[in-house]
Amino acid sequence: MMNLRCLIVDDEELGRMLIENYVQRLGFTIVAQCRNPLEAMQIMQSKEIDLIFLDIQMPEMSGLQFIKSLTYKPLIILTTAYPEHALEGYALDVVDYLLKPIRFDRFTLAVNKALERHRFKTEMGNVEHEGSEKEIILVKSEHRIHRLKLSEIFYIQSMSEYVSFHLNGSRILSLGALKALELELPSSQFIRVHKSYIVAINKIDFLDGNTIQVGKEKIPVGPSYKEQLLTHFNKGIQKSPEITLGINFKK
């Protein structure tokens, strides 16, 4: 069976002990136990975590606030005595929502779900690394996992706690942050042009003042990002002198 590196976050010692017992019975690795999300953040800076068992009601920061603060999210199973947070938990893309007192059979079912997701992510990650450069990205939307070809993405827009992937004539909405995508997407194919936009470089038609044309859309260019955009395309002009700023970036 595939191993999972687990982190237990619960302010109650009995809660941590129960999860520890269940995890050990299933044969997975417990990387650490934390009394609050602040301790968990410190652990995650130096340790690789596959799965977090996370309580909701904790002092200083709740489990849901902790999830929203994460740039990179491991798989998460919520463990709580409060059923009223279930809808928000699933909206944050948790694997499962376990109500205390937690039975071992219900715990096992939740972990099996996590294993399936982990296996899928691992397999797709292997596929992505077969080529010299990443060609797809996995995007979770409405309980489905989409395999988006990077070549089909025109631009990505930040919308509060969500990001919108704009394709040719369609879009996919997913929970996430542009900062995480900026780190994940290859810089040779995508560039951040605004606090709310990442665009596909080869989909840019032209720059006009502080906007760029991408397909049928005009996208603003933020002042702090314009220099990087100009630098990138100045390199392109040196390689292809026929390309002129303000006319067309495409060959």
Side-chain angles (χ1 to χ4, degrees):
M1 181 183 289
M2 183 179 293
N3 189 24
L4 291 174
R5 292 161 293 201
C6 303
L7 179 64
I8 302 171
V9 187
D10 194 322
D11 62 327
E12 296 181 353
E13 184 177 0
L14 290 178
R16 296 195 302 271
M17 290 175 61
L18 178 67
I19 300 299
E20 176 186 23
N21 177 265
Y22 284 176
V23 172
Q24 289 176 341
R25 286 169 67 178
L26 292 175
F28 299 124
T29 301
I30 299 175
V31 176
Q33 298 185 39
C34 303
R35 294 169 295 179
N36 57 65
L38 300 180
E39 291 182 3
M41 288 178 180
Q42 294 179 346
I43 294 295
M44 293 175 67
Q45 289 177 1
S46 59
K47 304 290 185 180
E48 191 169 351
I49 305 296
D50 299 316
L51 174 61
I52 302 177
F53 295 97
L54 180 64
D55 189 21
I56 292 182
Q57 298 289 355
M58 289 179 284
E60 298 185 21
M61 178 184 288
S62 73
L64 298 179
Q65 291 171 331
F66 174 57
I67 295 174
K68 294 174 183 178
S69 74
L70 296 175
T71 301
Y72 166 75
K73 283 197 303 185
L75 299 170
I76 296 173
I77 295 176
L78 290 174
T79 59
T80 179
Y82 301 92
E84 62 267 25
H85 299 294
L87 186 61
E88 185 177 1
Y90 283 118
L92 293 173
D93 195 28
V94 301
V95 174
D96 211 338
Y97 192 100
L98 299 180
L99 284 175
K100 299 177 180 178
I102 302 169
R103 303 192 318 270
F104 182 65
D105 60 338
R106 183 66 182 85
F107 181 88
T108 302
L109 178 63
V111 172
N112 282 336
K113 291 180 183 179
L115 275 171
E116 285 302 312
R117 280 209 200 180
H118 184 68
R119 185 177 294 111
F120 180 81
K121 288 172 63 176
T122 301
E123 290 175 354
M124 296 315 303
N126 291 337
V127 170
E128 290 172 9
H129 288 92
E130 286 178 1
S132 57
E133 193 168 65
K134 190 172 188 175
E135 296 180 354
I136 67 168
I137 186 173
L138 300 179
V139 175
K140 178 72 181 298
S141 177
E142 296 182 350
H143 305 292
R144 295 180 179 179
I145 299 177
H146 299 262
R147 297 178 71 247
L148 298 186
K149 293 182 179 179
L150 298 187
S151 61
E152 295 178 351
I153 299 173
F154 278 68
Y155 65 95
I156 307 167
Q157 181 181 5
S158 174
M159 302 176 67
S160 187
E161 296 177 351
Y162 293 82
V163 289
S164 179
F165 294 82
H166 291 259
L167 313 175
N168 187 15
S170 65
R171 73 169 190 165
I172 293 177
L173 194 65
S174 177
L175 191 70
L178 278 192
K179 183 61 178 177
L181 286 170
E182 187 178 9
L183 296 173
E184 182 178 358
L185 294 168
S187 59
S188 61
Q189 299 180 50
F190 292 87
I191 188 168
R192 183 83 172 262
V193 299
H194 188 273
K195 65 179 182 180
S196 299
Y197 291 93
I198 292 175
V199 301
I201 294 170
N202 67 354
K203 297 294 194 298
I204 300 176
D205 294 306
F206 58 84
L207 170 69
D208 182 10
N210 291 322
T211 63
I212 53 175
Q213 188 77 26
V214 179
K216 297 180 181 179
E217 300 295 326
K218 291 186 182 296
I219 294 176
V221 177
S224 60
Y225 298 96
K226 190 169 184 178
E227 183 177 351
Q228 180 184 0
L229 181 66
L230 291 173
T231 299
H232 179 87
F233 282 108
N234 281 335
K235 293 179 181 178
I237 290 171
Q238 292 171 7
K239 294 180 181 179
S240 303
E242 71 275 11
I243 299 176
T244 305
L245 289 175
I247 298 178
N248 201 319
F249 286 146
K250 291 183 177 178
K251 295 182 180 180

